Amino acid sequence: MNASSRLTALTRIGFATRGLLYLVIALLILRTGRAEDQSGAIEYLGRGGGQVLLAIIAAGLTAYGIWRLADAGLDIERHGGDRKGIMERVGAGASGIIHLLLAGQAVQLMRGAAASGDGTQEGARTAMQLPCGWALVLVGAAVLATLGVVQLAKAVKGSFLRYLDPAMATRPWVQWSGRAGYAARGLVFLVSGYLLARAGIEERASEAGGMARALTWLTNPFDIVVGVGLLAFGHFSLVEARYRRLHDVPVDDAIRRATSWR
């Protein structure tokens, strides 16, 4: 197995890891009312599964992050050069960075470091310390809102199904788990964008928050509805881990070019 194939295999573990994290988030909110984000889910799994599970999570998320960044830079998923395709690649790049940071957190937990706080809130606090920081926060809020709209559009159109094996993409339970999952993620992004916008307007970083804060902000029964949607997204991610059609990242070509320059 060459380097490209190994990365693709690890990327499938990354999809499965993403699914596992969303399942944990959903089950915590549905069973206990406890709101967590992906970072909190990693910490939760680390306490229960130990070093081996954290190592698998770190490896999977690293490969997934690299694959997303490669998609952003090389368009390996063939999004195209139109505005929609460019937005897809920008989203892939953002996703890659986020999942690499999550992988880094898993490594830190393996070393015994304490879990980090809410990344959205910390980012807002850092931005507020800069000149016109409130404006930067509002830009971030607009980005989150845009991502939310994109997720909702995917839920309505079912465009995510084109990446799956055709035989699996036609199954109703797969279609509806994906639709419910993307809709729930879209609502979480919109709420996070609203909270971040309020933080920028009021110039109070404490008002900002990511997924955990958004789930806490939602009142019953909306938190339960979103929790069910995130549970569906977790199941859909597990389907992607097995049945998503992945294009290999040209790792071997990059290695050959790098070694030929020496």
Side-chain angles (χ1 to χ4, degrees):
M1 183 181 291
N2 57 30
S4 297
S5 298
R6 286 194 292 270
L7 178 60
T8 300
L10 283 173
T11 299
R12 294 195 180 278
I13 297 176
F15 274 103
T17 300
R18 186 184 71 171
L20 179 60
L21 295 181
Y22 272 95
L23 290 176
V24 169
I25 292 168
L27 290 174
L28 286 175
I29 193 69
L30 293 174
R31 296 182 62 183
T32 68
R34 174 178 166 184
E36 291 288 358
D37 56 12
Q38 290 171 299
S39 297
I42 291 174
E43 183 181 10
Y44 180 86
L45 289 170
R47 288 200 301 268
Q51 298 285 311
V52 174
L53 182 56
L54 284 173
I56 294 173
I57 289 172
L61 291 178
T62 298
Y64 182 83
I66 293 172
W67 183 78
R68 282 295 193 190
L69 289 175
D71 185 27
L74 304 174
D75 195 19
I76 60 175
E77 290 292 278
R78 301 164 189 170
H79 301 292
D82 58 5
R83 185 175 65 177
K84 179 181 176 182
I86 292 173
M87 288 297 295
E88 290 280 358
R89 293 173 68 178
V90 170
S95 176
I97 293 171
I98 289 171
H99 284 87
L100 286 178
L101 291 174
L102 289 172
Q105 180 182 339
V107 172
Q108 289 179 350
L109 289 172
M110 290 174 63
R111 295 175 175 175
S116 59
D118 190 308
T120 303
Q121 191 174 102
E122 292 177 357
R125 184 173 292 110
T126 300
M128 289 291 189
Q129 297 172 355
L130 301 174
C132 296
W134 61 271
L136 294 175
V137 172
L138 290 179
V139 171
V143 171
L144 286 175
T146 301
L147 290 174
V149 172
V150 170
Q151 298 290 302
L152 291 174
K154 287 183 177 182
V156 173
K157 297 178 181 178
S159 57
F160 52 86
L161 294 170
R162 68 188 177 99
Y163 298 111
L164 293 180
D165 182 274
M168 184 59 63
T170 57
R171 298 189 180 185
W173 69 270
V174 172
Q175 296 176 4
W176 286 107
S177 65
R179 290 182 188 276
Y182 276 102
R185 277 176 31 113
L187 289 174
V188 169
F189 276 121
L190 287 176
V191 172
S192 297
Y194 164 74
L195 294 174
L196 190 57
R198 193 170 68 179
I201 293 171
E202 298 179 2
E203 298 190 36
R204 291 169 55 187
S206 60
E207 296 291 334
M211 180 180 291
R213 179 68 186 278
L215 291 173
T216 301
W217 183 85
L218 291 168
T219 57
N220 189 282
F222 299 107
D223 57 339
I224 302 301
V225 172
V226 172
V228 171
L230 295 179
L231 185 69
F233 188 77
H235 283 108
F236 181 75
S237 294
L238 295 180
V239 171
E240 286 189 293
R242 173 62 180 85
Y243 294 102
R244 180 164 175 140
R245 292 177 294 176
L246 299 177
H247 297 92
D248 287 343
V249 178
V251 176
D252 299 280
D253 291 341
I255 293 174
R256 280 194 294 268
R257 286 196 298 269
T259 54
S260 65
W261 291 342
R262 294 180 179 178

